[in-house]
Amino acid sequence: MEIQKLYDLDDIEFEDIAIGLVRLAKHIPDHEFFFKINQNNDLKFSRKKDLIFHGDYYDYYFPRFEAYHKFTKTCFTFISNKSSESKQKKLQTELFTEEENIKFLLNNQVEVQYILHSSEQFPDFSVILLPENLVFPIQDYTLSSEEELYQIIQYYE
């Protein structure tokens, strides 16, 4: 009896993820930002377990906030783009290492404060009313499956 191969992992095409990039007009603490969002919405964002990224020399912690929109049955997650803390695992002995004690999930978007992700394949971020004069419009961004953040989001989903 011959075993039939159902699929080949090399042939599987991973779909891109649509996310939103959130830039603040002025710096305010996380708790104050989400307090203002919760005031304006039916959504109630709350802090979830931090997203943890394991580097060679540091473990990085990124705050994560989540809410469920009952009408659209969608879960929205804000992830801080900049690590809030890092724990050193071992001493750096090399002169030119690329790892520092602060990490950005999107290295090419350091001016972005939060990455907004949805459980939907084609998310509608317009259901979240953001505080006026505090946030720039949400920028749509597509993550390809080759990007490091894609794998992280898939793991935490």
Side-chain angles (χ1 to χ4, degrees), residues 24 26-40 45 65 114 131 134-135:
L24 299 181
K26 66 177 185 175
H27 178 73
I28 61 168
D30 291 339
H31 66 275
E32 190 175 323
F33 175 66
F34 288 101
F35 176 76
K36 289 181 188 266
I37 288 180
N38 288 344
Q39 280 182 320
N40 296 339
F45 281 93
F65 300 85
Y114 299 101
L134 187 60
V135 180

Side-chain angles (χ1 to χ4, degrees), residues 25 42 81 84 96 98-99 103 127 142:
D42 293 341
N81 186 35
S84 61
F96 298 107
E98 301 210 1
E99 197 169 321
K103 177 160 180 62
V127 298
T142 304

Side-chain angles (χ1 to χ4, degrees), residues 22 33 37 40-41 78 116 125 128-132 135-138:
V22 180
F33 175 66
I37 288 180
N40 296 339
N41 293 279
F78 277 89
L116 180 55
F125 298 129
I128 303 172
L129 299 173
L130 297 172
E132 289 183 31
V135 180
F136 292 107
I138 295 173

Side-chain angles (χ1 to χ4, degrees), residues 76-138:
F76 291 103
T77 306
F78 277 89
I79 305 167
S80 181
N81 186 35
K82 183 180 178 183
S83 61
S84 61
E85 83 176 276
S86 60
K87 293 185 180 169
Q88 191 169 10
K89 297 192 291 190
K90 61 182 178 178
L91 248 107
Q92 294 182 358
T93 55
E94 298 174 25
L95 186 57
F96 298 107
T97 60
E98 301 210 1
E99 197 169 321
E100 296 179 20
N101 65 338
I102 295 174
K103 177 160 180 62
F104 290 90
L105 289 173
L106 291 171
N107 290 323
N108 59 343
Q109 302 281 348
V110 295
E111 71 284 353
V112 170
Q113 278 75 29
Y114 299 101
I115 297 161
L116 180 55
H117 177 256
S118 167
S119 58
E120 295 291 315
Q121 184 176 2
F122 303 106
D124 180 15
F125 298 129
S126 65
V127 298
I128 303 172
L129 299 173
L130 297 172
E132 289 183 31
N133 302 326
L134 187 60
V135 180
F136 292 107
I138 295 173

Side-chain angles (χ1 to χ4, degrees), residues 56-87:
D56 292 330
Y57 299 99
Y58 293 93
D59 284 339
Y60 301 97
Y61 295 82
F62 298 89
R64 206 164 51 109
F65 300 85
E66 205 169 84
Y68 183 75
H69 192 260
K70 292 176 186 163
F71 181 72
T72 60
K73 295 183 170 83
T74 306
C75 183
F76 291 103
T77 306
F78 277 89
I79 305 167
S80 181
N81 186 35
K82 183 180 178 183
S83 61
S84 61
E85 83 176 276
S86 60
K87 293 185 180 169

Side-chain angles (χ1 to χ4, degrees), residues 49-53 60-64 79 105 152 156:
K49 189 174 179 185
D50 285 359
L51 183 147
I52 302 170
F53 178 86
Y60 301 97
Y61 295 82
F62 298 89
R64 206 164 51 109
I79 305 167
L105 289 173
I152 294 169
Y156 279 91

